[in-house]
Amino acid sequence: VQIILYHTHNAETYLPSDGVSKRAGENAGVSTAADVFQQALEQKYGLRTLHSKVLHDYPDWNRSYINSLATVKTLLAANPDVRAVFDVHRDAGFTSKDPTTVMLNGQAAAKIMIVVGANHEHWKENLAFAQALEDKSNALYPGLVRSIRIVQANRYNQQAHPHSLILEIGSDLNTQEEANYALECFAQVVAEVLQDEETT
């Protein structure tokens, strides 16, 4: 396994497609989008990808990150050659989906925000990976990556691996299709960054 996908907040979904922003106790829209991500990584780019669907945010939302760290540690112990770990979320708090939507090749995609938790010793390694992904994304799909957000007060389990990041796929105002398409495109970004690392 080269890439691990998981969800600290499994319940997050897309309001226009689901009618609600969360489906408690389920793998919801972010998991559906990550299925598309996994499929593209494996089928188009030959990157063996594990998509964990262990629930971390139910029944106690406040323990989500504690629960997901346990899963990540177990998966990394079993798969020592993993090159990237992505916790797939979606953002919220927007009044319009304009700031989180971009047209790529004539099709609407949810913009991706990369979140780096800086409250651990090796966070700059995660940041360097985030910046490589942003640069590659800007070259291949301008506008797909909305920003990199550095959060000083949190770790988000990123101490577990030097290439561990949160991906926020649009907001709850985006559609499932826009989220899916975003990750279909982003799979190429990830594949090319990992390929570049091999050759440098």
PDB file of all heavy atoms in Angstrom, residues 173-196:
ATOM      1  N   LEU A 173     -21.845  22.971   0.743  1.00  0.00           N
ATOM      2  CA  LEU A 173     -22.711  23.531  -0.311  1.00  0.00           C
ATOM      3  C   LEU A 173     -22.367  23.010  -1.700  1.00  0.00           C
ATOM      4  O   LEU A 173     -23.127  23.219  -2.644  1.00  0.00           O
ATOM      5  CB  LEU A 173     -22.628  25.067  -0.300  1.00  0.00           C
ATOM      6  CG  LEU A 173     -23.037  25.746   1.017  1.00  0.00           C
ATOM      7  CD1 LEU A 173     -22.933  27.258   0.887  1.00  0.00           C
ATOM      8  CD2 LEU A 173     -24.458  25.348   1.418  1.00  0.00           C
ATOM      9  N   ASN A 174     -21.215  22.347  -1.823  1.00  0.00           N
ATOM     10  CA  ASN A 174     -20.885  21.715  -3.109  1.00  0.00           C
ATOM     11  C   ASN A 174     -21.724  20.455  -3.306  1.00  0.00           C
ATOM     12  O   ASN A 174     -22.316  19.932  -2.367  1.00  0.00           O
ATOM     13  CB  ASN A 174     -19.401  21.370  -3.168  1.00  0.00           C
ATOM     14  CG  ASN A 174     -18.530  22.591  -3.405  1.00  0.00           C
ATOM     15  OD1 ASN A 174     -17.965  23.148  -2.464  1.00  0.00           O
ATOM     16  ND2 ASN A 174     -18.435  23.034  -4.634  1.00  0.00           N
ATOM     17  N   THR A 175     -21.733  19.974  -4.551  1.00  0.00           N
ATOM     18  CA  THR A 175     -22.449  18.723  -4.844  1.00  0.00           C
ATOM     19  C   THR A 175     -21.483  17.543  -4.742  1.00  0.00           C
ATOM     20  O   THR A 175     -20.255  17.720  -4.803  1.00  0.00           O
ATOM     21  CB  THR A 175     -23.045  18.739  -6.261  1.00  0.00           C
ATOM     22  OG1 THR A 175     -21.961  18.762  -7.216  1.00  0.00           O
ATOM     23  CG2 THR A 175     -23.955  19.952  -6.475  1.00  0.00           C
ATOM     24  N   GLN A 176     -22.041  16.375  -4.624  1.00  0.00           N
ATOM     25  CA  GLN A 176     -21.221  15.159  -4.611  1.00  0.00           C
ATOM     26  C   GLN A 176     -20.408  15.047  -5.899  1.00  0.00           C
ATOM     27  O   GLN A 176     -19.225  14.691  -5.879  1.00  0.00           O
ATOM     28  CB  GLN A 176     -22.126  13.928  -4.453  1.00  0.00           C
ATOM     29  CG  GLN A 176     -21.360  12.621  -4.309  1.00  0.00           C
ATOM     30  CD  GLN A 176     -20.673  12.514  -2.958  1.00  0.00           C
ATOM     31  OE1 GLN A 176     -21.312  12.578  -1.924  1.00  0.00           O
ATOM     32  NE2 GLN A 176     -19.355  12.351  -2.964  1.00  0.00           N
ATOM     33  N   GLU A 177     -21.035  15.392  -7.025  1.00  0.00           N
ATOM     34  CA  GLU A 177     -20.347  15.284  -8.317  1.00  0.00           C
ATOM     35  C   GLU A 177     -19.129  16.201  -8.375  1.00  0.00           C
ATOM     36  O   GLU A 177     -18.083  15.835  -8.913  1.00  0.00           O
ATOM     37  CB  GLU A 177     -21.308  15.615  -9.468  1.00  0.00           C
ATOM     38  CG  GLU A 177     -22.383  14.582  -9.735  1.00  0.00           C
ATOM     39  CD  GLU A 177     -23.446  14.494  -8.625  1.00  0.00           C
ATOM     40  OE1 GLU A 177     -23.697  15.513  -7.938  1.00  0.00           O
ATOM     41  OE2 GLU A 177     -24.020  13.397  -8.452  1.00  0.00           O
ATOM     42  N   GLU A 178     -19.270  17.411  -7.806  1.00  0.00           N
ATOM     43  CA  GLU A 178     -18.147  18.357  -7.804  1.00  0.00           C
ATOM     44  C   GLU A 178     -16.996  17.847  -6.936  1.00  0.00           C
ATOM     45  O   GLU A 178     -15.829  18.000  -7.285  1.00  0.00           O
ATOM     46  CB  GLU A 178     -18.624  19.732  -7.319  1.00  0.00           C
ATOM     47  CG  GLU A 178     -19.521  20.429  -8.328  1.00  0.00           C
ATOM     48  CD  GLU A 178     -20.373  21.555  -7.744  1.00  0.00           C
ATOM     49  OE1 GLU A 178     -20.387  21.741  -6.510  1.00  0.00           O
ATOM     50  OE2 GLU A 178     -21.044  22.232  -8.541  1.00  0.00           O
ATOM     51  N   ALA A 179     -17.345  17.233  -5.822  1.00  0.00           N
ATOM     52  CA  ALA A 179     -16.326  16.645  -4.943  1.00  0.00           C
ATOM     53  C   ALA A 179     -15.628  15.464  -5.625  1.00  0.00           C
ATOM     54  O   ALA A 179     -14.400  15.338  -5.583  1.00  0.00           O
ATOM     55  CB  ALA A 179     -16.961  16.201  -3.629  1.00  0.00           C
ATOM     56  N   ASN A 180     -16.423  14.620  -6.264  1.00  0.00           N
ATOM     57  CA  ASN A 180     -15.860  13.458  -6.959  1.00  0.00           C
ATOM     58  C   ASN A 180     -14.882  13.893  -8.047  1.00  0.00           C
ATOM     59  O   ASN A 180     -13.778  13.343  -8.184  1.00  0.00           O
ATOM     60  CB  ASN A 180     -16.972  12.620  -7.592  1.00  0.00           C
ATOM     61  CG  ASN A 180     -17.879  11.946  -6.573  1.00  0.00           C
ATOM     62  OD1 ASN A 180     -17.644  12.023  -5.371  1.00  0.00           O
ATOM     63  ND2 ASN A 180     -18.931  11.315  -7.053  1.00  0.00           N
ATOM     64  N   TYR A 181     -15.294  14.890  -8.830  1.00  0.00           N
ATOM     65  CA  TYR A 181     -14.460  15.345  -9.943  1.00  0.00           C
ATOM     66  C   TYR A 181     -13.169  15.980  -9.427  1.00  0.00           C
ATOM     67  O   TYR A 181     -12.089  15.788  -9.997  1.00  0.00           O
ATOM     68  CB  TYR A 181     -15.242  16.317 -10.830  1.00  0.00           C
ATOM     69  CG  TYR A 181     -14.469  16.787 -12.040  1.00  0.00           C
ATOM     70  CD1 TYR A 181     -13.831  15.883 -12.890  1.00  0.00           C
ATOM     71  CD2 TYR A 181     -14.355  18.145 -12.330  1.00  0.00           C
ATOM     72  CE1 TYR A 181     -13.110  16.311 -13.991  1.00  0.00           C
ATOM     73  CE2 TYR A 181     -13.642  18.587 -13.437  1.00  0.00           C
ATOM     74  CZ  TYR A 181     -13.012  17.664 -14.264  1.00  0.00           C
ATOM     75  OH  TYR A 181     -12.298  18.098 -15.350  1.00  0.00           O
ATOM     76  N   ALA A 182     -13.273  16.707  -8.325  1.00  0.00           N
ATOM     77  CA  ALA A 182     -12.085  17.317  -7.724  1.00  0.00           C
ATOM     78  C   ALA A 182     -11.034  16.257  -7.403  1.00  0.00           C
ATOM     79  O   ALA A 182      -9.840  16.425  -7.696  1.00  0.00           O
ATOM     80  CB  ALA A 182     -12.469  18.074  -6.456  1.00  0.00           C
ATOM     81  N   LEU A 183     -11.470  15.159  -6.812  1.00  0.00           N
ATOM     82  CA  LEU A 183     -10.520  14.125  -6.403  1.00  0.00           C
ATOM     83  C   LEU A 183     -10.045  13.281  -7.585  1.00  0.00           C
ATOM     84  O   LEU A 183      -8.926  12.764  -7.569  1.00  0.00           O
ATOM     85  CB  LEU A 183     -11.115  13.257  -5.295  1.00  0.00           C
ATOM     86  CG  LEU A 183     -11.052  13.951  -3.924  1.00  0.00           C
ATOM     87  CD1 LEU A 183     -11.774  13.141  -2.859  1.00  0.00           C
ATOM     88  CD2 LEU A 183      -9.613  14.209  -3.499  1.00  0.00           C
ATOM     89  N   GLU A 184     -10.860  13.182  -8.622  1.00  0.00           N
ATOM     90  CA  GLU A 184     -10.408  12.526  -9.846  1.00  0.00           C
ATOM     91  C   GLU A 184      -9.220  13.305 -10.424  1.00  0.00           C
ATOM     92  O   GLU A 184      -8.208  12.726 -10.826  1.00  0.00           O
ATOM     93  CB  GLU A 184     -11.572  12.499 -10.839  1.00  0.00           C
ATOM     94  CG  GLU A 184     -11.434  11.494 -11.938  1.00  0.00           C
ATOM     95  CD  GLU A 184     -12.665  11.511 -12.836  1.00  0.00           C
ATOM     96  OE1 GLU A 184     -13.800  11.455 -12.335  1.00  0.00           O
ATOM     97  OE2 GLU A 184     -12.464  11.607 -14.052  1.00  0.00           O
ATOM     98  N   CYS A 185      -9.333  14.638 -10.427  1.00  0.00           N
ATOM     99  CA  CYS A 185      -8.235  15.489 -10.910  1.00  0.00           C
ATOM    100  C   CYS A 185      -7.045  15.444  -9.961  1.00  0.00           C
ATOM    101  O   CYS A 185      -5.884  15.343 -10.392  1.00  0.00           O
ATOM    102  CB  CYS A 185      -8.716  16.932 -11.054  1.00  0.00           C
ATOM    103  SG  CYS A 185     -10.021  17.187 -12.278  1.00  0.00           S
ATOM    104  N   PHE A 186      -7.325  15.504  -8.671  1.00  0.00           N
ATOM    105  CA  PHE A 186      -6.256  15.567  -7.673  1.00  0.00           C
ATOM    106  C   PHE A 186      -5.424  14.286  -7.645  1.00  0.00           C
ATOM    107  O   PHE A 186      -4.249  14.313  -7.260  1.00  0.00           O
ATOM    108  CB  PHE A 186      -6.841  15.868  -6.286  1.00  0.00           C
ATOM    109  CG  PHE A 186      -5.835  16.371  -5.295  1.00  0.00           C
ATOM    110  CD1 PHE A 186      -5.215  17.596  -5.467  1.00  0.00           C
ATOM    111  CD2 PHE A 186      -5.507  15.624  -4.172  1.00  0.00           C
ATOM    112  CE1 PHE A 186      -4.277  18.072  -4.549  1.00  0.00           C
ATOM    113  CE2 PHE A 186      -4.577  16.090  -3.245  1.00  0.00           C
ATOM    114  CZ  PHE A 186      -3.959  17.311  -3.439  1.00  0.00           C
ATOM    115  N   ALA A 187      -6.018  13.178  -8.069  1.00  0.00           N
ATOM    116  CA  ALA A 187      -5.264  11.917  -8.141  1.00  0.00           C
ATOM    117  C   ALA A 187      -4.056  12.068  -9.055  1.00  0.00           C
ATOM    118  O   ALA A 187      -2.964  11.565  -8.748  1.00  0.00           O
ATOM    119  CB  ALA A 187      -6.178  10.790  -8.628  1.00  0.00           C
ATOM    120  N   GLN A 188      -4.221  12.788 -10.155  1.00  0.00           N
ATOM    121  CA  GLN A 188      -3.081  13.026 -11.056  1.00  0.00           C
ATOM    122  C   GLN A 188      -2.013  13.869 -10.371  1.00  0.00           C
ATOM    123  O   GLN A 188      -0.815  13.610 -10.508  1.00  0.00           O
ATOM    124  CB  GLN A 188      -3.549  13.720 -12.339  1.00  0.00           C
ATOM    125  CG  GLN A 188      -2.405  13.932 -13.329  1.00  0.00           C
ATOM    126  CD  GLN A 188      -2.818  14.689 -14.572  1.00  0.00           C
ATOM    127  OE1 GLN A 188      -3.995  15.011 -14.766  1.00  0.00           O
ATOM    128  NE2 GLN A 188      -1.856  14.992 -15.429  1.00  0.00           N
ATOM    129  N   VAL A 189      -2.450  14.866  -9.607  1.00  0.00           N
ATOM    130  CA  VAL A 189      -1.527  15.727  -8.863  1.00  0.00           C
ATOM    131  C   VAL A 189      -0.673  14.883  -7.909  1.00  0.00           C
ATOM    132  O   VAL A 189       0.559  14.984  -7.888  1.00  0.00           O
ATOM    133  CB  VAL A 189      -2.311  16.803  -8.083  1.00  0.00           C
ATOM    134  CG1 VAL A 189      -1.387  17.615  -7.186  1.00  0.00           C
ATOM    135  CG2 VAL A 189      -3.084  17.711  -9.048  1.00  0.00           C
ATOM    136  N   VAL A 190      -1.344  14.047  -7.127  1.00  0.00           N
ATOM    137  CA  VAL A 190      -0.640  13.192  -6.155  1.00  0.00           C
ATOM    138  C   VAL A 190       0.334  12.256  -6.875  1.00  0.00           C
ATOM    139  O   VAL A 190       1.505  12.121  -6.480  1.00  0.00           O
ATOM    140  CB  VAL A 190      -1.652  12.379  -5.315  1.00  0.00           C
ATOM    141  CG1 VAL A 190      -0.939  11.342  -4.445  1.00  0.00           C
ATOM    142  CG2 VAL A 190      -2.495  13.320  -4.453  1.00  0.00           C
ATOM    143  N   ALA A 191      -0.135  11.622  -7.941  1.00  0.00           N
ATOM    144  CA  ALA A 191       0.703  10.668  -8.678  1.00  0.00           C
ATOM    145  C   ALA A 191       1.961  11.341  -9.207  1.00  0.00           C
ATOM    146  O   ALA A 191       3.068  10.786  -9.109  1.00  0.00           O
ATOM    147  CB  ALA A 191      -0.104  10.056  -9.822  1.00  0.00           C
ATOM    148  N   GLU A 192       1.814  12.548  -9.749  1.00  0.00           N
ATOM    149  CA  GLU A 192       2.982  13.226 -10.331  1.00  0.00           C
ATOM    150  C   GLU A 192       3.950  13.719  -9.256  1.00  0.00           C
ATOM    151  O   GLU A 192       5.163  13.676  -9.444  1.00  0.00           O
ATOM    152  CB  GLU A 192       2.533  14.359 -11.257  1.00  0.00           C
ATOM    153  CG  GLU A 192       1.851  13.824 -12.507  1.00  0.00           C
ATOM    154  CD  GLU A 192       1.794  14.817 -13.651  1.00  0.00           C
ATOM    155  OE1 GLU A 192       2.498  15.841 -13.608  1.00  0.00           O
ATOM    156  OE2 GLU A 192       1.044  14.553 -14.608  1.00  0.00           O
ATOM    157  N   VAL A 193       3.431  14.183  -8.116  1.00  0.00           N
ATOM    158  CA  VAL A 193       4.316  14.616  -7.028  1.00  0.00           C
ATOM    159  C   VAL A 193       5.116  13.426  -6.498  1.00  0.00           C
ATOM    160  O   VAL A 193       6.335  13.532  -6.280  1.00  0.00           O
ATOM    161  CB  VAL A 193       3.514  15.296  -5.893  1.00  0.00           C
ATOM    162  CG1 VAL A 193       4.358  15.448  -4.625  1.00  0.00           C
ATOM    163  CG2 VAL A 193       3.005  16.664  -6.353  1.00  0.00           C
ATOM    164  N   LEU A 194       4.468  12.293  -6.306  1.00  0.00           N
ATOM    165  CA  LEU A 194       5.174  11.107  -5.812  1.00  0.00           C
ATOM    166  C   LEU A 194       6.201  10.623  -6.839  1.00  0.00           C
ATOM    167  O   LEU A 194       7.298  10.182  -6.477  1.00  0.00           O
ATOM    168  CB  LEU A 194       4.187   9.996  -5.458  1.00  0.00           C
ATOM    169  CG  LEU A 194       3.276  10.279  -4.261  1.00  0.00           C
ATOM    170  CD1 LEU A 194       2.327   9.109  -4.005  1.00  0.00           C
ATOM    171  CD2 LEU A 194       4.055  10.595  -2.992  1.00  0.00           C
ATOM    172  N   GLN A 195       5.857  10.741  -8.116  1.00  0.00           N
ATOM    173  CA  GLN A 195       6.798  10.363  -9.180  1.00  0.00           C
ATOM    174  C   GLN A 195       8.010  11.293  -9.179  1.00  0.00           C
ATOM    175  O   GLN A 195       9.151  10.857  -9.303  1.00  0.00           O
ATOM    176  CB  GLN A 195       6.075  10.412 -10.516  1.00  0.00           C
ATOM    177  CG  GLN A 195       6.841   9.780 -11.653  1.00  0.00           C
ATOM    178  CD  GLN A 195       6.032   9.741 -12.937  1.00  0.00           C
ATOM    179  OE1 GLN A 195       5.005  10.375 -13.055  1.00  0.00           O
ATOM    180  NE2 GLN A 195       6.513   8.999 -13.914  1.00  0.00           N
ATOM    181  N   ASP A 196       7.753  12.586  -9.005  1.00  0.00           N
ATOM    182  CA  ASP A 196       8.848  13.569  -8.948  1.00  0.00           C
ATOM    183  C   ASP A 196       9.794  13.260  -7.784  1.00  0.00           C
ATOM    184  O   ASP A 196      11.015  13.412  -7.905  1.00  0.00           O
ATOM    185  CB  ASP A 196       8.304  14.994  -8.768  1.00  0.00           C
ATOM    186  CG  ASP A 196       7.579  15.507 -10.015  1.00  0.00           C
ATOM    187  OD1 ASP A 196       7.698  14.867 -11.075  1.00  0.00           O
ATOM    188  OD2 ASP A 196       6.886  16.545  -9.910  1.00  0.00           O
TER     189      ASP A 196
END
